[in-house]
């Protein structure tokens, strides 16, 4: 798919210096340059930046993030397009995981709907909203098969079943990218984290894994194969090792399996800092060796750790990395940029979209993803029931959006109390907003026919770097 743009990409490549080529393999965050924006403008002007990640941190899912600013991004893109020697546009990526302005259920919940058509429609909505804010690339879908619910990131993926994972991959990639990226109606998707990240021992994030080839091919690869068959533009290499070998430094996984066996022809981006992490994992002795091993393994774009931009020139001079390897990586990245139509339409364009319809679709997906475990005749509630509402989530807003929600608005999110108040008449709802121990809840309950407990998990207790030892409700709840 992306190889159809190779000839055009090679024409651009032929005009590039080695430094400019390496610049295309370098992704940065704006955050380190906030106090020196002139420096940022200059490195872009020099052709030393191939991509901007519009996140402020590696754990953007739970860290405070600024909202997208299309005018600021267009200003930086203009420097790349109009002031650099070759005018190569940057590809702007952001963690648009399960929603942008409209937030949809977390992926683990969404797949429980078993409605691929609706899932595709919702991810099409997500792409439309992100595109309207200048985002051209998302680091989603996450396709990590996981069987240990203690792992904090299990909520971001399809769970434990390879068939469900493959179905999710197809729906999300089709939704994000549309029929043809050149039409300018979709954004590039990224299948992550390739591969085995969800098998971390003990459910501990960033931990080691032991995966046999039989398990790898039958359980972990199917979702990625499905994403590749749908034409996913990019793949992200994972943090973990497999049987002692880090994936980000493994030619077996990134070249022999991903490209030669599965037929992937987009580009591979490392996870944030995953190249430099090869040193911490004892796989390399320096950042220079990290760069050597990662690019020779098959990583094309280095996310935010500066290993490529600081070391590839000398590695080429020393003969440890061939110029052909550099050229191959550059062409892959240029092909995706060409497929996105970035050279013709580099700037973000604010567009209107049907917000009400997107909310309806989100509600439908949420409704279909709910699972009723036990009823015993309690539901449905009578319309004239007196209801006691209690618990720490009675008036909670932010956690209803879940982890990895960068652009959803907490202040626009109705809480349980507000939503129930809308459908009940005066005198029917008794509310105890108690975020700690339910000291008054029994007294409230005696006035009611039924008690609704608003319990849940804080968004800060799940997602990346938030593994737990015990998945039961917290003791106060």
């Amino acid at each position: 798919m992306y190889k159809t743009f190779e000839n055009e990409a090679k024409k651009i490549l032929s005009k590039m210096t080695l430094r400019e080529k390496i610049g295309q393999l370098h992704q940065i965050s704006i955050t380190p340059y906030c106090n020196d924006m002139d420096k940022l403008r200059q490195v872009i002007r020099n052709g030393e930046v191939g991509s901007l990640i519009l996140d402020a941190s590696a754990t953007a899912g739970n860290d405070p993030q600024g909202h997208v600013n299309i005018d600021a991004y267009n200003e930086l893109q203009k420097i790349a397009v109009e002031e650099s020697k070759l005018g190569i546009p940057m590809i702007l990526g952001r963690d648009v995981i399960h929603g942008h302005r409209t937030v949809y259920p977390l992926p683990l919940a969404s797949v429980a709907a078993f409605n691929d058509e609706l899932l595709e429609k919702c991810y099409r909505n997500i792409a439309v909203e992100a595109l309207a804010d200048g985002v051209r690339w998302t680091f989603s879908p996450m396709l990590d098969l996981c069987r240990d619910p203690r792992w904090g990131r299990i909520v971001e993926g399809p769970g434990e079943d390879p068939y469900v994972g493959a179905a999710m991959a197809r729906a999300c990639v089709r939704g994000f990218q549309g029929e043809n990226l050149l039409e300018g109606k979709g954004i590039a998707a990224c299948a992550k984290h390739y591969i085995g990240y969800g098998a971390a021992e003990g459910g501990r994030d960033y931990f080691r894994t032991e995966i046999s080839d039989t398990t790898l091919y039958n359980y972990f690869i199917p979702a990625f194969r499905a994403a590749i068959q749908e034409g996913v533009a990019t793949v992200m290499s994972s943090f973990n090792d497999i049987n002692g070998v880090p994936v980000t430094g493994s030619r077996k996984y990134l070249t022999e399996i991903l490209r030669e066996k599965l037929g992937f022809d987009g580009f591979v981006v490392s996870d944030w800092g995953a190249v430099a992490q090869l040193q911490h994992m004892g796989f390399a002795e320096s950042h220079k060796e990290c760069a050597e091993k990662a690019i020779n393994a098959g990583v094309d774009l280095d996310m935010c750790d500066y290993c490529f931009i600081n070391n590839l020139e000398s590695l080429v001079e020393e003969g440890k990395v061939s110029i052909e390897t550099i050229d191959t990586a550059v062409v892959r990245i240029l092909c995706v940029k060409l497929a996105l139509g970035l050279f013709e339409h580099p700037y973000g364009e604010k567009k209107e979209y049907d917000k009400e319809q997107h909310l309806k679709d989100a509600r439908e997906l949420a409704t279909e993803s709910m699972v009723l475990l036990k009823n015993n005749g309690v539901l449905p509630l009578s319309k004239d029931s007196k209801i006691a509402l209690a618990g720490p989530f009675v008036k909670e807003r932010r956690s209803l959006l879940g982890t990895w929600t960068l652009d959803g608005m907490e202040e626009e999110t109705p809480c349980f109390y507000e939503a129930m108040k809308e459908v009940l008449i005066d005198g029917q709802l008794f509310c105890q907003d108690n975020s700690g121990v339910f000291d008054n809840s029994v007294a409230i309950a005696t006035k009611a026919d039924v008690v609704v407990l608003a319990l849940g998990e804080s968004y800060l207790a799940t997602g990346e770097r938030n593994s737990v030892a015990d998945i039961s409700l917290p003791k106060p709840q």
Side-chain angles (χ1 to χ4, degrees):
M1 178 179 178
Y2 300 99
K3 285 187 176 181
T4 59
F5 297 93
E6 257 190 12
N7 289 337
E8 194 173 349
K10 287 179 179 179
K11 288 179 183 177
I12 299 169
L13 179 79
S14 66
K15 303 173 185 176
M16 301 172 73
T17 65
L18 177 58
R19 185 67 177 175
E20 289 166 338
K21 292 175 181 179
I22 295 169
Q24 287 299 302
L25 315 184
H26 181 45
Q27 182 184 59
I28 63 170
S29 167
I30 297 173
T31 304
Y33 297 91
C34 285
N35 295 323
D36 192 354
M37 290 301 290
D38 285 340
K39 182 177 180 181
L40 174 61
R41 295 183 185 99
Q42 191 55 50
V43 295
I44 294 173
R45 194 174 290 116
N46 293 343
E48 296 177 350
V49 180
S51 172
L52 289 180
I53 183 169
L54 310 180
D55 294 350
S57 64
T59 50
N62 289 334
D63 296 341
Q65 302 287 313
H67 288 296
V68 287
N69 186 334
I70 190 170
D71 295 329
Y73 305 151
N74 280 342
E75 178 192 339
L76 295 173
Q77 185 75 291
K78 186 176 181 180
I79 295 171
V81 172
E82 299 184 16
E83 298 181 29
S84 71
K85 187 184 77 175
L86 295 173
I88 300 173
M90 299 179 292
I91 181 170
L92 276 57
R94 185 167 174 85
D95 279 297
V96 182
I97 306 301
H98 58 104
H100 188 60
R101 286 288 287 105
T102 304
V103 179
Y104 297 80
L106 284 160
L108 188 61
S110 294
V111 297
F114 293 98
N115 189 332
D116 299 344
E117 185 177 338
L118 178 59
L119 189 62
E120 179 181 341
K121 182 181 181 183
C122 290
Y123 276 74
R124 168 107 311 266
N125 296 346
I126 295 170
V128 167
E129 293 187 6
L131 194 61
D133 274 333
V135 178
R136 305 299 296 272
W137 177 27
T138 175
F139 306 108
S140 180
M142 184 179 123
L143 303 175
D144 295 305
L145 182 141
C146 180
R147 294 169 174 159
D148 193 331
R150 295 174 298 178
W151 188 49
R153 304 198 74 171
I154 192 171
V155 298
E156 300 172 44
E160 64 184 4
D161 187 86
Y163 178 84
V164 173
M168 173 183 163
R170 294 188 188 97
C172 291
V173 172
R174 286 196 301 262
F176 278 135
Q177 297 191 172
E179 293 293 327
N180 186 348
L181 281 171
L182 268 177
E183 293 177 354
K185 297 178 182 179
I187 60 178
C190 182
K192 70 179 189 185
H193 305 83
Y194 180 85
I195 191 167
Y197 184 32
E201 188 175 296
R204 300 174 182 178
D205 214 352
Y206 317 129
F207 209 42
R208 62 177 177 262
T209 72
E210 295 286 338
I211 305 173
S212 69
D213 280 353
T214 299
T215 300
L216 183 79
Y217 283 105
N218 287 290
Y219 291 94
F220 289 93
I221 281 181
F224 288 93
R225 180 190 292 117
I228 291 165
Q229 289 171 346
E230 289 296 334
V232 70
T234 67
V235 165
M236 182 182 291
S237 70
S238 57
F239 280 121
N240 59 283
D241 69 24
I242 296 180
N243 308 332
V245 180
V247 173
T248 297
S250 170
R251 183 173 177 81
K252 171 186 174 181
Y253 296 111
L254 295 180
T255 297
E256 294 172 12
I257 296 178
L258 181 63
R259 294 196 180 278
E260 295 173 6
K261 291 187 177 181
L262 299 181
F264 175 62
D265 68 347
F267 71 77
V268 173
V269 59
S270 74
D271 205 338
W272 190 306
V275 175
Q277 185 174 291
L278 295 178
Q279 182 176 4
H280 301 302
M281 298 173 81
F283 195 67
E285 293 184 354
S286 63
H287 281 190
K288 186 174 183 178
E289 189 177 359
C290 290
E292 175 190 345
K293 291 194 170 183
I295 196 163
N296 283 335
V299 173
D300 301 306
L301 186 65
D302 180 13
M303 184 187 286
C304 295
D305 59 19
Y306 293 79
C307 288
F308 281 11
I309 195 73
N310 289 340
N311 296 289
L312 285 182
E313 283 179 292
S314 58
L315 286 167
V316 170
E317 291 170 2
E318 295 167 14
K320 294 180 179 178
V321 174
S322 69
I323 191 65
E324 290 79 16
T325 297
I326 302 287
D327 287 352
T328 297
V330 175
V331 166
R332 288 170 180 160
I333 292 169
L334 290 176
C335 282
V336 170
K337 290 183 177 183
L338 288 161
L340 277 169
L342 280 177
F343 286 84
E344 294 79 16
H345 304 287
Y347 304 116
E349 183 180 347
K350 200 74 178 175
K351 294 181 179 179
E352 293 298 318
Y353 50 84
D354 192 341
K355 296 179 183 178
E356 289 302 315
Q357 184 59 52
H358 290 189
L359 284 169
K360 288 179 182 177
D361 293 338
R363 185 183 183 91
E364 184 180 357
L365 184 60
T367 300
E368 292 203 16
S369 68
M370 291 180 185
V371 179
L372 179 62
L373 298 180
K374 192 174 184 180
N375 189 4
N376 285 348
V378 176
L379 299 175
L381 297 177
S382 170
K383 289 186 178 180
D384 58 1
S385 295
K386 291 183 178 180
I387 298 173
L389 178 61
F393 272 55
V394 166
K395 293 185 178 178
E396 171 64 17
R397 300 181 191 276
R398 175 59 186 86
S399 290
L400 299 184
L401 299 175
T403 184
W404 287 105
T405 301
L406 279 62
D407 295 289
M409 298 290 191
E410 177 181 345
E411 59 272 21
E412 295 178 359
T413 306
C415 64
F416 280 113
Y417 173 71
E418 292 166 339
M420 293 188 73
K421 195 174 180 182
E422 277 190 15
V423 297
L424 295 172
I425 62 175
D426 291 341
Q428 277 188 270
L429 183 63
F430 305 100
C431 178
Q432 173 61 37
D433 176 20
N434 193 330
S435 58
V437 178
F438 303 150
D439 48 4
N440 295 321
S441 295
V442 173
I444 292 286
T446 58
K447 302 177 183 180
D449 302 314
V450 64
V451 177
V452 174
L453 284 179
L455 309 179
E457 184 176 58
S458 166
Y459 77 100
L460 292 171
T462 190
E464 186 168 1
R465 206 174 55 186
N466 282 315
S467 299
V468 294
D470 183 358
I471 65 168
S472 59
L473 284 171
K475 288 183 180 180
Q477 295 192 34

